[in-house]
Amino acid sequence: MKFQRAYRYRFYPNEVQAQQLARTLGCARYVYNWGLEEQIKNRRDHGRILPYKDLAAQLKILKRQPETVWLCEVSSVVLQQSLRHLDTAYKRYFQKLSEKPTFKSRKGDQSCAYMANAFVYRDGQITLAKHREPLDIRWSRPLPDKAVPSSVTVTRTASGKHYISILVEESIEPLPASQQQLGIDLNAKELVLSNGIRYQTPKNLQRLEIRRRRYQRACRRKIAAAKKSLGLSPRAPLPKGSRLPVSNNLRKAWRKAGRVAERQANVRRDWAHKITTAIVRENQMVAMENLNVQGMTASARGTQEKPGKRVRQKAGLNRAVLNVGFGELRRQIEYKALWYGRQAVVIDRWYPSSQLCGACGFKHEKLTLKDRHWTCPNCQQRHDRDLNAARNILVAGQSMLQDEQNLYRGASRESKPVERVLVADRHQPDCTPTRREAGKIVCENDPARQP
């Protein structure tokens, strides 16, 4: 079966290309922010957002105005794609798949997209629109044979590096069927698998975090000095319409902090890809929890009337959770399972995987987060909290596969992750799993089982 797959490479532009890319990235960001401001005004005045066609028509008028005639210096396809990305962001927001679109900043990573009519791919080289020479790409791995790029995305990181992501359509063959199945328990320190293997988070992330904080403190000191030169307090916000004077030292400090942040992201991405690829290749079915990462990493600061407790401790826990990247691990397992003919099962977040005894099914409701090892009061079995949870998640995933056998048949490539509540009702504490039948955890006092 054919799938769309992106290949990312680093390239080194010459001085002319770097200047043209800087103009293109700035114009793409400006058009996105302009479109977002127009959507906010239209939604405030008329209660709806403009469709893409109306916004694209207004873009033509914007390019003819004397104040913004410099938008004609870049490819029109890039500007149209910025509006399409904004339209997609609003659609995802209304479908409750993402947060509300926000304005893009000139700090951090910048990116723009070129469709097939805005670049030329010939003899293994790519030439972008408004460029005279092809890009000097470091082909770290070859593209698939007879691959035709449908779009490319150019990214400039905060540290000044340039990358290009080439989207192609590729035929991926499914892997041979495996008899192994796996449950995954996620926590702030490590990834625990039901077969006893544990993957700890990279050690150098903490060292990089300390370095990043040091560089960010240097940035704040230079920003405070710039505010003092304007006669403002270091903590006072900038007046509307004013702009902070940016010195070369501040740009250097931003670049240093950006390099460390980019290094952190690369370490996390490399760690996640290696683990998820190994998991999907070795197991036919992978079961995991649908964790509420946003709720888990919420701040404990509270309000001025009701201040929070242990704010610094909660902030450290939040950083540890985000370092693991629960959402990214799940995303990679899902799409790799679809590629290679595996099955990914998502367990409901309210399933008490840590409280259930893996031997007899007894639910230990008094279990706390401090209890990393516990003994079952019913059968006296000693459990490692995380390993027991991973094994319970595996059993729950097997139960879901039995119930959804019409959706999961063999190694179907069209299989999608399923999320269901495995207990009768999470609001009914009387439903306590006490035994197992054919791989299922069964509630003896479940009202649905009563005659």
Side-chain angles (χ1 to χ4, degrees):
M1 185 177 291
K2 291 187 176 181
F3 296 91
Q4 286 190 332
R5 188 172 185 177
Y7 288 81
R8 190 168 186 254
Y9 305 94
R10 186 177 178 183
F11 70 95
Y12 297 86
N14 55 35
E15 186 176 355
V16 177
Q17 290 175 339
Q19 292 177 358
Q20 180 62 32
L21 286 174
R23 283 194 293 269
T24 304
L25 293 170
C27 291
R29 183 182 68 250
Y30 177 85
V31 169
Y32 184 93
N33 292 339
W34 167 81
L36 179 56
E37 187 175 2
E38 292 294 321
Q39 296 287 31
I40 292 174
K41 290 179 181 178
N42 195 76
R43 193 179 181 194
R44 183 181 62 241
D45 298 338
H46 305 287
R48 64 182 183 88
I49 64 171
L50 293 172
Y52 164 75
K53 292 183 179 180
D54 295 349
L55 211 55
Q58 293 185 17
L59 176 61
K60 294 181 180 180
I61 302 174
L62 180 68
K63 293 171 67 175
R64 298 193 190 103
Q65 296 179 2
E67 298 83 3
T68 53
V69 70
W70 41 267
L71 290 174
C72 299
E73 298 178 0
V74 303
S75 173
S76 61
V77 176
V78 175
L79 306 183
Q80 293 168 3
Q81 284 303 116
S82 294
L83 296 182
R84 288 191 181 276
H85 292 166
L86 176 62
D87 187 63
T88 303
Y90 263 109
K91 288 180 180 178
R92 289 180 58 83
Y93 167 65
F94 290 133
Q95 295 173 0
K96 298 183 179 180
L97 297 176
S98 61
E99 297 294 331
K100 184 183 295 186
T102 57
F103 292 98
K104 290 189 176 182
S105 172
R106 57 179 178 171
K107 304 175 185 177
D109 295 353
Q110 309 288 322
S111 64
C112 60
Y114 292 81
M115 302 307 292
N117 58 343
F119 68 92
V120 176
Y121 178 69
R122 184 182 297 120
D123 299 331
Q125 293 182 325
I126 293 179
T127 305
L128 301 177
K130 302 289 184 178
H131 289 248
R132 295 181 179 272
E133 300 177 359
L135 300 178
D136 183 14
I137 302 176
R138 294 295 186 265
W139 299 97
S140 55
R141 53 177 175 169
L143 288 175
D145 295 337
K146 300 180 181 180
V148 179
S150 59
S151 67
V152 298
T153 301
V154 175
T155 304
R156 187 186 64 192
T157 63
S159 61
K161 298 178 182 178
H162 291 80
Y163 294 91
I164 183 169
S165 181
I166 305 173
L167 185 65
V168 298
E169 193 175 59
E170 181 182 0
S171 179
I172 303 178
E173 296 297 328
L175 295 173
S178 173
Q179 300 298 324
Q180 299 184 17
Q181 297 180 343
L182 192 70
I184 303 176
D185 179 67
L186 301 170
N187 58 55
K189 292 184 178 181
E190 57 188 359
L191 199 69
V192 183
L193 309 184
S194 58
N195 56 10
I197 299 177
R198 298 172 182 263
Y199 293 102
Q200 294 186 349
T201 55
K203 299 292 185 181
N204 56 347
L205 281 178
Q206 186 176 3
R207 175 176 54 83
L208 292 172
E209 178 67 20
I210 295 173
R211 188 185 304 174
R212 185 180 65 87
R213 288 188 192 177
R214 186 171 68 250
Y215 290 151
Q216 285 182 338
R217 286 195 297 268
C219 292
R220 287 196 293 268
R221 286 195 298 269
K222 291 174 175 58
I223 292 174
K227 286 183 177 180
K228 285 184 178 179
S229 66
L230 296 177
L232 300 174
S233 174
R235 294 189 177 183
L238 284 174
K240 191 173 183 180
S242 63
R243 196 166 185 176
L244 186 71
V246 179
S247 63
N248 289 331
N249 287 335
L250 180 55
R251 289 193 179 93
K252 292 178 183 177
W254 278 341
R255 198 173 294 115
K256 286 182 179 180
R259 278 199 296 264
V260 178
E262 181 183 352
R263 175 63 178 168
Q264 285 181 300
N266 291 340
V267 170
R268 291 193 193 98
R269 190 183 302 113
D270 179 73
W271 177 77
H273 272 294
K274 288 179 178 178
I275 290 177
T276 54
T277 300
I279 288 175
V280 172
R281 285 183 178 274
E282 296 172 1
N283 300 277
Q284 184 65 31
M285 187 273 288
V286 181
M288 51 191 165
E289 291 179 297
N290 176 26
L291 298 176
N292 182 17
V293 181
Q294 185 176 3
M296 293 171 62
T297 57
S299 174
R301 187 174 302 173
T303 61
Q304 188 173 3
E305 294 78 11
K306 294 182 179 180
K309 299 180 180 179
R310 298 183 178 180
V311 179
R312 294 181 64 87
Q313 291 87 337
K314 183 61 167 62
L317 177 62
N318 294 348
R319 285 192 297 270
V321 171
L322 294 175
N323 271 337
V324 179
F326 294 164
E328 180 65 15
L329 288 171
R330 173 182 169 180
R331 185 189 71 87
Q332 291 186 13
I333 288 176
E334 287 180 356
Y335 82 75
K336 290 177 182 179
L338 184 62
W339 280 1
Y340 300 118
R342 304 310 197 196
Q343 298 163 337
V345 183
V346 181
I347 309 301
D348 187 82
R349 68 184 58 166
W350 299 103
Y351 178 66
S353 58
S354 299
Q355 298 178 350
L356 294 178
C357 174
C360 66
F362 177 80
K363 184 177 180 181
H364 190 4
E365 297 182 355
K366 296 183 179 181
L367 196 67
T368 63
L369 289 176
K370 296 181 180 179
D371 301 329
R372 309 316 301 175
H373 295 81
W374 59 283
T375 303
C376 176
N378 187 39
C379 65
Q380 306 302 317
Q381 179 72 28
R382 185 71 174 172
H383 293 294
D384 178 277
R385 180 194 181 96
D386 299 326
L387 182 59
N388 177 68
R391 290 172 177 171
N392 286 332
I393 291 172
L394 173 60
V395 173
Q398 293 170 343
S399 174
M400 291 179 67
L401 282 181
Q402 272 191 335
D403 296 340
E404 303 292 339
Q405 57 184 351
N406 292 331
L407 293 179
Y408 295 96
R409 190 180 302 274
S412 174
R413 301 299 297 276
E414 298 296 334
S415 61
K416 295 183 179 179
V418 175
E419 177 184 339
R420 283 179 44 197
V421 182
L422 293 185
V423 295
D425 188 350
R426 61 171 175 261
H427 300 296
Q428 294 181 4
D430 295 333
C431 180
T432 305
T434 56
R435 63 186 180 86
R436 301 188 178 195
E437 286 182 1
K440 295 184 180 180
I441 300 178
V442 180
C443 295
E444 289 291 331
N445 53 351
D446 186 354
R449 294 178 56 87
Q450 301 299 328

